[in-house]
Structure formats: C-alpha cells, structure tokens
C-alpha cells in the first residue's frame, strides 16, 4: 500500500496516549464545576457564532462575506431557540443526566441560558476549556 491514512493533526491530541497528560479528567472537571461525576453527561457543543452578535460586528461580517450572512444569522437564531427548548426538556425529562452546554467562544451573555442554570439543577453552561478537553473527559 502506497497511501498513508491521515487526518486532522489537532485531533491526534485526543488519542489515549496524549489524554492523561494534556487534559483534565472527568472527576477533575466534575469537582471544578460542581457536576455529579456519577451521572451520565450530555454535552452540547454550540456553534451559534452569530446569535447575539453586536450589530456593528455583524455589519462588518456582512461587508466581508455578503448579504447571505444575514439569512444565516437569522436561521442560527431560530435554530438556537429550538435547540435550547430541546435541552430544557431533556434536562427536565432526564434528571439522572448532567446536561452541559458548551457555548462557542463568540457567544455573548445569554439571559435564557443563565436562567436555565438557576432553575434546572442538572443544566450547566460552561464556556471554560476547549472542546477537546470536554470530549476527552
């Protein structure tokens, strides 16, 4: 065989032989964020980069990318509303699970998510650490 199997290099750091010295364990994350380590964790990795973006920033993005971005931003807003309602239902229907919402770094303060973390014991919004950290835990 003359071909090599390759993939994204950054994902190599998720391999088992790197995990133990590069990332925190599930127990360490649980302690830091007061999450029950004995319950199954449901991780939602958000990509709602344009939801809640300041108008000035969105205008700059539209100038660079084009008017189609406004449609995408609106679609993202509607998608986030629907997904957040699913996560709320999931949290209430499965209290034996910990539901973790990992926002995209560009997501701004979201009052609905803040209220959910206060009202729903097993729902958490945690922006800290990389996606790889959460996946490997």
């Amino acid at each position: 065989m003359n071909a090599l199997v390759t993939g994204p290099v950054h994902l190599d750091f998720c391999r088992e032989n790197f995990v133990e010295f590069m990332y925190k364990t599930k127990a360490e994350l649980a302690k830091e964020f007061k999450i029950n380590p004995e319950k199954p964790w449901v991780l939602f990795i958000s990509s709602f980069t344009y939801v809640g973006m300041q108008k000035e920033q969105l205008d700059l993005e539209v100038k660079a990318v084009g008017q189609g971005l406004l449609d995408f931003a609106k679609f993202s807003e509607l998608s986030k509303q629907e997904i957040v309602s699913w996560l709320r239902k999931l949290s209430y229907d499965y209290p034996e699970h910990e539901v973790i919402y990992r926002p995209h770094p560009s997501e701004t303060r979201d009052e609905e998510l803040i209220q959910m973390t206060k009202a729903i014991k097993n729902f958490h919004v945690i922006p800290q650490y990389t996606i790889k950290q959460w996946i490997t835990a």
Side-chain angles (χ1 to χ4, degrees), residues 32-136:
E32 182 173 348
F33 296 107
K34 298 176 179 63
I35 304 171
N36 187 336
E38 302 303 317
K39 291 183 175 182
W41 291 7
V42 177
L43 174 64
F44 176 77
I45 301 169
S46 173
S47 62
F48 298 116
T49 55
Y50 297 103
V51 176
M53 184 178 278
Q54 297 294 319
K55 183 181 178 337
E56 298 79 22
Q57 181 63 37
L58 184 58
D59 289 345
L60 286 173
E61 299 279 340
V62 168
K63 188 175 181 181
V65 177
Q67 289 295 315
L69 184 60
L70 292 174
D71 291 334
F72 181 75
K74 183 63 178 169
F75 178 76
S76 293
E77 188 174 318
L78 295 171
S79 295
K80 182 176 181 181
Q81 290 172 3
E82 187 67 24
I83 287 172
V84 167
S85 81
W86 294 345
L87 293 173
R88 181 183 292 106
K89 181 171 175 25
L90 175 74
S91 299
Y92 281 127
D93 290 352
Y94 296 91
E96 70 280 3
H97 288 69
E98 298 285 356
V99 179
I100 301 163
Y101 182 102
R102 170 47 172 81
H104 187 277
S106 69
E107 281 186 70
T108 57
R109 182 179 170 93
D110 185 315
E111 285 302 320
E112 182 177 15
L113 293 175
I114 291 168
Q115 290 307 313
M116 286 174 63
T117 61
K118 292 176 181 176
I120 307 170
K121 190 176 180 178
N122 63 324
F123 181 79
H124 314 273
V125 177
I126 305 175
Q128 289 86 350
Y129 302 118
T130 66
I131 298 304
K132 284 183 242 154
Q133 168 62 75
W134 287 99
I135 291 171
T136 57

Side-chain angles (χ1 to χ4, degrees), residues 1-5:
M1 177 171 154
N2 293 330
L4 296 175
V5 177

